[in-house]
Amino acid sequence: MSTTGANADPLAALGSLPGVPEAVESMRKAVDRVYGHRIMRRRSNEITSEAALRGARGSAALSGGDWALEEVRRRTDFSGDDEARVVGAALRLTAEAGQLLSIWRQSPLRVLARLHLLAAAGKGEGDEVGRPRRDGEPVDEPLIELPLPDAAEVAGRLDGLSRLVIAGGSAPALVTAAVVHGELLALRPFGSRNGLVARAAERVVLVGSGLDPKSVCPAEVGHAELGRAAYASALDGYVSGTPEGMAAWISHCGKAVELGARESTAVCEALQRGAA
């Protein structure tokens, strides 16, 4: 992703790629549907809590910790095998994301460092936790098998991404969230848990932008529901840098938010019926 040039808002052009305005509009309708539900007016805290749990479960599933929702809900100890640690990391990230909104717009790199510290807790890593990797340091990242950029490229692109976030602009929240998510997956700036961090950062953007202020539309649910193969294929489009590939990735992220909103709408319906 290029972040240079005369365009003061380079993300705005992505919002007009073929298919992207439609994806933004479809996602917005799904978000409006859950926010307009009568249960949200009385029990929004319950919906937020349930969305956080389901979002964490979805993110963990994409990183190798594919547990049933009831297992995530039941367990209190996540220090066992690696699957358990992945689920625990996803839960910590989801719980912390809402506390980082005010810092994100001033210092995205600080937030990313904090997210990685939370995600990597208990992995036994050394001083590489919470900082971008250096040349020669290994990266443990399930699912993502793209060529790994070197440390200099990682540093440069992280700086560019940070400047874009701080500058703000007129691009739809979905576009910004998709670019943040895609860049972090493409770069894999940390030695581990990059997927969990990328999806948590996407959540921070969606909530902080005002699109989903109560965090009840967990995109992680949708990414998991769409499946690992579709996720990896859409990311290939992002990494290609072509207009078609970028549009496909943004649309994929939009569909994930839609599915997350649909999940919370179903929770609202269940609460209304007294079934949950």
Side-chain angles (χ1 to χ4, degrees):
M1 182 193 68
S2 173
T3 58
T4 59
N7 189 349
D9 187 6
L11 297 185
L14 299 179
S16 61
L17 290 174
V20 172
E22 292 82 358
V24 170
E25 178 62 20
S26 181
M27 178 204 66
R28 168 59 74 181
K29 287 180 179 178
V31 172
D32 287 347
R33 193 172 301 118
V34 66
Y35 273 89
H37 199 287
R38 60 185 299 180
I39 289 294
M40 280 292 293
R41 292 193 291 272
R42 296 185 286 114
R43 302 175 70 175
S44 63
N45 288 342
E46 292 175 66
I47 307 302
T48 295
S49 296
E50 187 65 19
L53 185 72
R54 294 178 185 225
R57 193 219 72 83
S59 190
L62 287 170
S63 287
D66 193 359
W67 286 9
L69 180 62
E70 290 311 312
E71 179 70 4
V72 179
R73 198 189 305 278
R74 180 185 69 82
R75 289 281 286 268
T76 57
D77 181 8
F78 299 95
S79 62
D81 59 19
D82 193 55
E83 282 197 16
R85 289 191 290 272
V86 168
V87 175
L91 288 166
R92 289 192 299 274
L93 288 174
T94 303
E96 182 83 0
Q99 310 303 313
L100 300 172
L101 299 175
S102 62
I103 304 172
W104 174 254
R105 286 298 299 271
Q106 282 74 45
S107 183
L109 298 184
R110 279 182 57 200
V111 170
L112 294 177
R114 174 62 180 164
L115 291 174
H116 187 246
L117 282 167
L118 289 166
K123 279 184 64 67
E125 299 181 33
D127 68 348
E128 66 269 27
V129 174
R131 65 156 174 79
R133 57 184 168 81
R134 299 174 183 139
D135 283 332
E137 292 181 340
V139 173
D140 175 18
E141 189 55 51
L143 180 64
I144 308 303
E145 299 178 351
L146 296 164
L148 200 63
D150 63 26
E153 182 177 351
V154 168
R157 287 172 63 173
L158 281 178
D159 180 67
L161 184 65
S162 176
R163 285 187 282 107
L164 280 177
V165 170
I166 293 169
S170 59
L174 171 62
V175 171
T176 304
V179 168
V180 167
H181 186 170
E183 275 293 279
L184 293 174
L185 285 178
L187 294 176
R188 282 144 293 160
F190 304 109
S192 65
R193 308 290 200 228
N194 290 284
L196 293 177
V197 169
R199 291 183 289 275
E202 179 185 48
R203 173 185 284 267
V204 169
V205 174
L206 293 171
V207 174
S209 68
L211 175 73
D212 180 21
K214 294 184 182 294
S215 195
V216 295
C217 302
E220 305 96 323
V221 167
H223 287 303
E225 185 173 334
L226 291 167
R228 285 183 163 202
Y231 188 64
S233 177
L235 179 62
D236 285 344
Y238 176 84
V239 172
S240 76
T242 65
E244 297 80 9
M246 296 291 289
W249 170 249
I250 295 167
S251 296
H252 182 88
C253 291
K255 184 63 176 177
V257 177
E258 279 190 60
L259 291 171
R262 187 182 71 180
E263 184 93 350
S264 287
T265 300
V267 172
C268 287
E269 292 293 328
L271 287 170
Q272 184 166 278
R273 295 191 305 268

